[in-house]
Amino acid sequence: MKQGGSDAAKRAAGESAAEAVEDGMVVGLGTGSTAAHAIRAIGRAVDAGLDVVGVPTSFQSRELARDCGIPLADLDDVSVDLAIDGADEVAGGDLIKGGGAAHAREKVVDASADRFLVVADPTKEAEVLAHPVPVEVLPMARSTVAAAVEDLGGDPQLRRAERKDGPVVTDNGNLVLDCDFGAIEGPAGLAGDLAGVPGVVEHGLFVDMADEIHVGSPDGVAVRTP
């Protein structure tokens, strides 16, 4: 598995995407270390007078946004103009997300946005998606979903929690299977297959959703349009 990129690269990407936030916008606030830099940048802009509302995608992003003074709303009450979120791997316009086990809520918010900006460092880029795909499952369906993943050619592993016994539990109260399919030549087809498995709440394949990809480095940011 690839090592994470430098904090400088992550900061550059997050701050670049945050520059797209305009007065009056509703902004989807992603989860993860790179998206956190965007949230902090938006918070500084709010402190300077920017009028925006954030829709967080996780407990983590909600707490950070509150600490940064960003007014928050629920997706039921607003329409998202712009979402900013990170990725575990990027190939063209397709992503794998879910390293923070927040991909179900992230996908709902990101898909609902008028524009979706991805923030990443160069270590997240790939020619072909090959990172294990996080799959959020109902606890009672863990075994049946795992069997279905194996039938699809994947190797499902229950994600274990760190610094506590037992599995990772999502903000939705579910479990996560990290499913290794090797190189994914047809992400759209796999996405459809996984979505059709009973007991799957959401998977981490974000296919053809990104409008811009901001890849940061210590020397600057490359903005790519898939």
Side-chain angles (χ1 to χ4, degrees), residues 141-156 177 179 181 190 193-194 196-198 200:
R142 169 192 166 190
S143 296
T144 57
V145 171
V149 167
E150 291 174 348
D151 289 342
L152 292 172
D155 176 20
L177 296 176
C179 304
F181 292 92
L190 180 57
D193 289 340
L194 289 172
V197 175
V200 169

Side-chain angles (χ1 to χ4, degrees), residues 35-222:
H37 284 296
I39 294 173
R40 294 186 186 100
I42 295 168
R44 291 192 294 270
V46 167
D47 189 55
L50 184 70
D51 179 20
V52 297
V53 173
V55 177
T57 56
S58 66
F59 177 85
Q60 178 193 57
S61 60
R62 180 180 294 275
E63 291 299 290
L64 178 58
R66 282 176 171 167
D67 289 344
C68 292
I70 301 172
L72 300 178
D74 292 327
L75 192 57
D76 285 342
D77 302 319
V78 294
S79 177
V80 179
D81 298 299
L82 179 74
I84 301 174
D85 211 341
D88 298 311
E89 192 168 53
V90 179
D94 299 330
L95 322 171
I96 292 177
K97 292 177 50 54
H103 52 286
R105 296 190 185 191
E106 288 173 327
K107 188 174 286 187
V108 171
V109 173
D110 296 345
S112 74
D114 292 340
R115 293 175 64 211
F116 172 32
L117 276 52
V118 178
V119 292
D121 65 77
T123 69
K124 304 302 191 297
E125 293 188 290
E127 292 295 324
V128 177
L129 295 178
H131 191 281
V133 180
V135 178
E136 182 170 343
V137 301
L138 297 172
M140 66 170 292
R142 169 192 166 190
S143 296
T144 57
V145 171
V149 167
E150 291 174 348
D151 289 342
L152 292 172
D155 176 20
Q157 299 293 325
L158 180 67
R159 187 180 298 182
R160 298 287 179 177
E162 297 181 4
R163 296 189 294 276
K164 70 175 284 292
D165 293 332
V168 166
V169 178
T170 71
D171 288 355
N172 306 313
N174 300 312
L175 304 178
V176 175
L177 296 176
D178 290 311
C179 304
D180 191 351
F181 292 92
I184 302 171
E185 299 294 344
L190 180 57
D193 289 340
L194 289 172
V197 175
V200 169
V201 176
E202 191 52 84
H203 57 76
L205 285 165
F206 285 49
V207 178
D208 196 28
M209 287 178 55
D211 293 294
E212 290 181 0
I213 300 171
H214 293 235
V215 181
S217 73
D219 300 321
V221 179

